[in-house]
């Protein structure tokens, strides 16, 4: 057996072991995974070493290959359980030197086996960091050779920046869009000889970004002033404010838009813009929205960002609104050719134009962090063309457990594993995929109707059994068969996965009544075949039905719920037949016609039905194999019911509605008295 283990930083891994399709506009990046083959050994241990991992939550998911899809009766097969245990061993670094911005810090690398680790704190609104390594000398006065690694490892993708510095010249690197309000890990290791130490100086300097914001109070005041009225020739306050905002944008590197997080339910969040659903987008500086996903339980859903461009607000017809959704740090400089990447994260680009005014992004299992939406107006002929241009973009952002609630052929489920909550779709009617949108193996509406008709109408085969039971005066047995036919029909009408569904009552009630009727039907049929005394038979009917109802409540799908009553009833039947045979001194039943034309066909049908039910049913063929089970079981009942008592006359209304002297019958077997 091969077990696949997936690793991801910040959120559960998005896996697709069955190769199904994801919904449109969904972003899918492959997870880091390893395969473990289990042999005949009792256990298998695999180690995964991650050096300098990113701080935060790490997630591991393990799964087996696709199952065969057989429907196995509980108790007929022994399930093979695979236990997966993940142990984490951590080697921590203590007393890491802190690199202060703008202050050169001398350090020494003792040997190549002991690299140097430092960290620097990145403040909020940092646009760029300049890191420089200088005055690098070795103890042997030879050329300096070191390697600098900036950032930590994140899976499935790692965006560490690695530079190699050789010689005595200064070595530097510039990083844009760093994660705000986080520690940046820096590792420097020597590439020289084993006994040589390296002395150097490190310097980190930041370029900050001055944010501008849109005040909801000012907008509200301007709205009130505009409603109060102004002269027909004078500009409105909102127009004057727009002109002032355009002139002030040059001093800001971004425009902040206040966003409020509203928690609606578990893994369900709505983001509301204080200044309305529409935001103004300019070309000089990007418009920035912060989506908070830091609750610790948000990474188990799907982040949906929907952008809609107001075409009438765009003065430049050929302009494009470029957007970027990124985690931990925003993109502060957008253009058409940029791939929407930050220093240590690959973002998700979006674009809007007059020809394509709507864009949607679905991030499955988003990383736990602050997410940023950056929007900027881009003109093909340069920024000067867009200096006075403005675009209105409606932003709809929310976190949902399952996108589109898994559609009409799926059910969204909240799953809890080891204290962590995440959502997933359970698909039906052959649909598959992350949001049940893959119709590769989907059942058509005609196939769904056919499956429903087969599973429900096949129960009508109980009508011959009911007619035979009524004709032979087995009225209690006929009532049980009617009960079974009714609830089996409507249970399977409610149990369908597609749109051909009809539930007359609660699903659990229908299922319980169907299982109860099936087992009790077998119980009363075998007891009826035993031909015991009526009082004993009816006592066994009631007592057995009560015990069956209790066992089904304890374990509805247990194999002994059906096998136990069957075996006990067979023991009673065989004992009664042996008693009758010894008493009459010949085989019981004595008629060879009874064996050839009734018992043997009925037993054959029953064995075929049990074989189909226990060994042939799968998820794909369930609708016709289970229908065959209905037909065979109902047919076997009609054959196995014994003939009526000899002193019972056939149903005849002419005999029932008479006014004359009649022969009174005695309940004693084969004895009649005339009065």
């Amino acid at each position: 057996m091969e077990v696949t283990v997936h690793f991801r930083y910040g959120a559960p891994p998005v896996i697709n072991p069955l190769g199904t399709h994801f919904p449109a506009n969904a972003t899918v990046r492959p997870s880091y995974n390893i395969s473990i083959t289990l042999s005949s050994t009792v256990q298998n241990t695999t180690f995964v070493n991650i050096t300098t991992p990113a701080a935060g939550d790490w997630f591991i998911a393990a799964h087996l290959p696709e199952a065969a899809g057989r429907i196995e009766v509980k108790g007929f097969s022994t399930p093979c359980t695979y236990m997966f245990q993940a142990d984490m061993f951590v080697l921590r670094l203590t007393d890491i030197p802190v690199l202060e911005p703008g202050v050169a810090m001398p350090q020494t690398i003792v040997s190549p086996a002991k690299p140097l680790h430092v960290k620097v704190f990145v403040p909020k609104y940092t646009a760029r960091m300049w890191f420089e390594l200088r005055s690098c000398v070795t103890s042997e006065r030879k050329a300096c050779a070191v390697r600098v690694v900036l950032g930590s490892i994140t899976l499935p993708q790692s965006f560490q920046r690695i530079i190699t510095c050789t010689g005595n010249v200064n070595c530097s690197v510039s990083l844009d869009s760093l994660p705000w309000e986080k520690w940046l890990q820096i590792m420097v290791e020597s590439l020289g000889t084993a006994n040589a130490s390296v002395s150097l100086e490190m310097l980190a300097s930041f370029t900050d970004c001055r944010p501008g914001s849109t005040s909801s109070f000012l907008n509200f005041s301007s709205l009130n002033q505009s409603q109060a009225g102004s002269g027909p020739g004078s500009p409105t306050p909102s127009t004057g404010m727009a002109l002032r905002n355009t002139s002030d944008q040059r001093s800001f590197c971004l425009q902040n838009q206040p966003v409020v997080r509203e928690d609606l339910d578990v893994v369900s969040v709505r983001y509301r813009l204080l200044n309305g659903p529409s935001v103004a987008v300019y070309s000089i500086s990007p418009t920035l929205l912060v989506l908070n996903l830091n609750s610790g339980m948000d990474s188990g859903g799907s982040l949906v960002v929907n952008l809609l461009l107001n075409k009438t607000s765009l003065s430049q017809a050929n302009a494009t609104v470029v957007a970027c959704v990124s985690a931990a740090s925003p993109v502060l400089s957008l253009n058409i050719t940029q791939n929407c990447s930050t220093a240590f994260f690959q973002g998700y680009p979006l674009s809007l134009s007059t020809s394509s005014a709507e864009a949607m992004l679905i991030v499955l299992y988003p990383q736990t962090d602050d997410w940023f939406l950056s929007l900027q107006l881009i003109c093909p002929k340069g920024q000067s063309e867009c200096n006075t241009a403005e675009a209105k973009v409606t932003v709809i952002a929310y976190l949902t457990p399952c996108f589109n609630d898994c559609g009409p052929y799926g059910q969204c489920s909240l799953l809890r594993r080891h204290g962590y909550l995440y959502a997933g779709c359970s698909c039906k009617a052959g649909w598959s995929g992350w949001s049940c949108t893959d119709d590769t193996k989907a059942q058509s509406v005609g196939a769904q109707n056919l499956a429903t008709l087969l599973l429900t109408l096949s129960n009508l085969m109980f009508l011959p059994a009911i007619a035979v039971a009524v004709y032979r005066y087995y009225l209690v047995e006929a009532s049980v068969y009617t009960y079974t036919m009714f609830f089996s029909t409507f249970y399977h009408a409610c149990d369908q996965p597609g749109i051909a569904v009809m539930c007359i009552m609660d699903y659990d009630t229908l299922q319980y009544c169907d299982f109860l009727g099936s087992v009790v039907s077998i119980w009363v049929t075998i007891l009826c075949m035993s031909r015991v005394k009526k009082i004993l038979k009816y006592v066994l009917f009631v007592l057995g039905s009560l015990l069956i109802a209790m066992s089904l409540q304890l374990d509805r799908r247990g194999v002994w719920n059906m096998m136990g009553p069957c075996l006990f009833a067979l023991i009673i039947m065989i004992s009664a037949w042996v008693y009758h045979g010894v008493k009459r001194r010949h085989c019981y039943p004595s008629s060879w016609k009874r064996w050839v034309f009734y018992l043997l066909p009925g037993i054959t049908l029953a064995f075929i039905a049990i074989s189909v039910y226990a060994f042939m049913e799968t998820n794909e063929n369930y609708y016709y194999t289970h229908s065959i089970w209905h037909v065979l079981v109902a047919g076997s009942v009609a054959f196995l019911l014994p003939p009526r008592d000899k002193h019972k006359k056939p149903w005849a209304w002419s005999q029932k509605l008479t006014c004359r002297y009649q022969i009174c019958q005695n309940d004693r077997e084969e004895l009649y008295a005339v009065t």
Side-chain angles (χ1 to χ4, degrees):
M1 182 65 70
E2 187 176 78
V3 180
T4 306
V5 186
H6 300 259
F7 298 83
R8 188 185 176 192
Y9 165 74
V14 179
I15 61 177
N16 188 19
L18 303 181
T20 56
H21 297 162
F22 287 89
N25 303 315
T27 59
V28 182
R29 289 171 182 169
S31 61
Y32 175 80
N33 63 83
I34 59 173
S35 297
I36 304 173
T37 303
L38 298 180
S39 57
S40 58
T41 57
V42 177
Q43 62 182 5
N44 191 343
T45 304
T46 301
F47 293 93
V48 177
N49 187 18
I50 302 176
T51 307
T52 64
D57 292 331
W58 285 72
F59 292 82
I60 302 176
H63 65 84
L64 297 173
E66 183 180 6
R70 289 188 57 230
I71 301 177
E72 298 179 348
V73 180
K74 185 179 180 180
F76 275 6
S77 60
T78 303
C80 188
T81 305
Y82 295 86
M83 303 299 296
F84 176 77
Q85 178 178 348
D87 296 326
M88 183 176 67
F89 305 93
V90 180
L91 180 62
R92 299 180 183 273
L93 288 173
T94 59
D95 301 328
I96 301 177
V98 177
L99 181 61
E100 297 183 5
V103 179
M105 183 174 67
Q107 289 290 330
T108 301
I109 305 175
V110 179
S111 66
K114 296 181 178 180
L116 174 64
H117 293 270
V118 298
K119 61 181 181 179
V120 59
F121 186 76
V122 181
K124 195 174 183 179
Y125 299 118
T126 297
R128 178 175 300 175
M129 186 190 80
W130 180 267
F131 178 79
E132 186 177 4
L133 203 67
R134 60 191 184 187
S135 303
C136 182
V137 294
T138 64
S139 59
E140 298 176 350
R141 303 298 177 184
K142 294 182 180 179
C144 181
V146 295
R147 181 170 57 185
V148 183
V149 180
L150 294 94
S152 304
I153 289 182
T154 59
L155 295 178
Q157 282 182 298
S158 183
F159 295 93
Q160 286 181 314
R161 299 293 293 271
I162 301 175
I163 57 174
T164 303
C165 304
T166 57
N168 296 322
V169 297
N170 294 341
C171 188
S172 62
V173 62
S174 176
L175 296 177
D176 295 331
S177 300
L178 290 163
W180 289 351
E181 298 183 301
K182 287 188 173 67
W183 289 97
L184 176 62
Q185 305 291 333
I186 303 175
M187 182 183 70
V188 184
E189 56 181 346
S190 174
L191 302 178
T193 58
N195 297 325
S197 61
V198 178
S199 299
L200 47 83
E201 285 186 355
M202 289 182 289
L203 177 65
S205 58
F206 295 103
T207 302
D208 60 351
C209 171
R210 182 187 174 191
S213 62
T214 304
S215 173
S216 59
F217 175 76
L218 290 179
N219 286 345
F220 180 73
S221 301
S222 63
L223 179 61
N224 289 339
Q225 292 175 8
S226 63
Q227 289 178 350
S230 60
S234 60
T236 60
S238 58
T239 307
M241 182 175 297
L243 295 176
R244 289 197 302 271
N245 288 341
T246 305
S247 61
D248 292 341
Q249 284 173 18
R250 299 185 183 275
S251 59
F252 301 131
C253 64
L254 61 90
Q255 296 292 327
N256 259 334
Q257 288 289 336
V259 179
V260 176
R261 171 188 167 118
E262 295 181 355
D263 291 275
L264 305 177
D265 205 341
V266 181
V267 201
S268 181
V269 179
R270 182 178 62 185
Y271 297 96
R272 184 169 59 88
L273 279 68
L274 289 182
N275 299 322
S278 298
V279 297
V281 181
Y282 306 97
S283 64
I284 300 175
S285 58
T287 301
L288 186 65
L289 287 79
V290 182
L291 309 178
N292 184 358
L293 290 173
N294 274 326
S295 70
M297 303 298 289
D298 298 332
S299 58
S302 298
L303 176 63
V304 181
V305 178
N306 194 3
L307 305 178
L308 181 62
L309 175 64
N310 187 352
K311 297 181 181 180
T312 59
S313 66
L314 189 61
S315 57
Q316 295 289 338
N318 56 355
T320 303
V321 176
V322 179
C324 180
V325 181
S326 59
S329 56
V331 177
L332 300 178
S333 178
L334 294 169
N335 55 58
I336 298 178
T337 59
Q338 192 181 19
N339 59 356
C340 186
S341 61
T342 63
F344 303 109
F345 186 81
Q346 176 59 51
Y348 306 98
L350 297 170
S351 63
L352 300 170
S353 62
T354 54
S355 60
S356 178
E358 186 176 1
M360 176 181 285
L361 173 68
I362 306 170
V363 182
L364 308 176
Y365 290 167
Q367 178 179 318
T368 300
D369 216 324
D370 282 333
W371 284 72
F372 298 89
L373 172 61
S374 304
L375 302 103
Q376 193 167 0
L377 190 62
I378 304 297
C379 289
K381 295 183 180 180
Q383 183 179 349
S384 59
E385 187 183 3
C386 288
N387 280 340
T388 58
E390 180 188 41
K392 291 287 187 180
V393 177
T394 301
V395 179
I396 302 174
Y398 57 93
L399 179 73
T400 180
C402 303
F403 176 69
N404 200 22
D405 202 22
C406 300
Y409 293 100
Q411 181 179 2
C412 185
S413 303
L414 290 176
L415 310 173
R416 185 178 293 275
R417 295 290 185 273
H418 303 287
Y420 181 77
L421 191 68
Y422 63 98
C425 288
S426 177
C427 305
K428 53 189 179 181
W431 290 75
S432 58
W434 189 270
S435 298
C436 300
T437 55
D438 188 353
D439 59 350
T440 305
K441 300 180 180 179
Q443 294 180 2
S444 62
V445 177
Q448 296 176 35
N449 292 329
L450 176 62
T452 304
L453 291 175
L454 283 176
L455 289 170
T456 54
L457 297 182
S458 59
N459 289 284
L460 296 179
M461 281 299 296
F462 272 100
L463 289 176
I466 295 171
V468 171
V470 172
Y471 178 76
R472 297 177 181 178
Y473 282 91
Y474 297 123
L475 302 183
V476 175
E477 290 83 346
S479 302
V480 174
Y481 302 151
T482 305
Y483 175 93
T484 303
M485 179 184 69
F486 178 84
F487 281 103
S488 179
T489 299
F490 287 101
Y491 164 65
H492 286 291
C494 184
D495 187 46
Q496 295 310 301
I499 60 176
V501 181
M502 186 183 70
C503 298
I504 62 172
M505 59 180 68
D506 182 66
Y507 174 83
D508 187 71
T509 304
L510 289 172
Q511 185 187 66
Y512 181 82
C513 293
D514 173 54
F515 288 11
L516 178 64
S518 301
V519 181
V520 173
S521 296
I522 299 174
W523 170 254
V524 300
T525 301
I526 300 178
L527 288 180
C528 185
M529 293 171 61
S530 63
R531 303 299 289 267
V532 296
K533 292 184 178 181
K534 285 186 177 181
I535 184 65
L536 179 60
K537 181 178 75 171
Y538 293 134
V539 168
L540 291 175
F541 278 5
V542 175
L543 184 61
S545 300
L546 294 176
L547 293 176
I548 291 170
M550 180 196 67
S551 64
L552 287 174
Q553 182 64 28
L554 295 175
D555 186 6
R556 193 169 297 180
R557 297 187 179 274
V559 64
W560 286 105
N561 290 332
M562 182 178 294
M563 295 296 296
C566 287
L567 293 177
F568 189 66
L570 286 173
I571 292 174
I572 296 176
M573 185 190 72
I574 293 173
S575 301
W577 283 11
V578 170
Y579 172 77
H580 290 306
V582 172
K583 184 178 180 180
R584 298 182 180 186
R585 298 184 180 278
H586 57 75
C587 182
Y588 185 86
S590 58
S591 173
W592 65 270
K593 295 182 180 180
R594 177 70 184 164
W595 282 96
V596 173
F597 295 110
Y598 296 98
L599 292 180
L600 290 180
I603 294 174
T604 303
L605 291 176
F607 272 105
I608 296 175
I610 293 174
S611 301
V612 171
Y613 178 78
F615 305 108
M616 294 181 60
E617 286 188 355
T618 63
N619 293 325
E620 287 75 17
N621 64 12
Y622 174 78
Y623 68 94
Y624 62 84
T625 53
H626 200 75
S627 301
I628 294 174
W629 152 263
H630 289 164
V631 173
L632 294 177
V633 168
S636 66
V637 169
F639 279 100
L640 293 176
L641 280 177
R644 66 178 181 272
D645 295 335
K646 293 182 179 179
H647 59 272
K648 292 283 187 181
K649 295 182 179 180
W651 290 92
W653 294 109
S654 59
Q655 297 181 5
K656 302 301 178 183
L657 303 176
T658 56
C659 296
R660 62 178 181 269
Y661 293 103
Q662 297 181 4
I663 298 177
C664 297
Q665 70 178 36
N666 194 343
D667 287 339
R668 287 180 297 176
E669 186 177 357
E670 299 177 358
L671 293 177
Y672 294 86
V674 179
T675 58

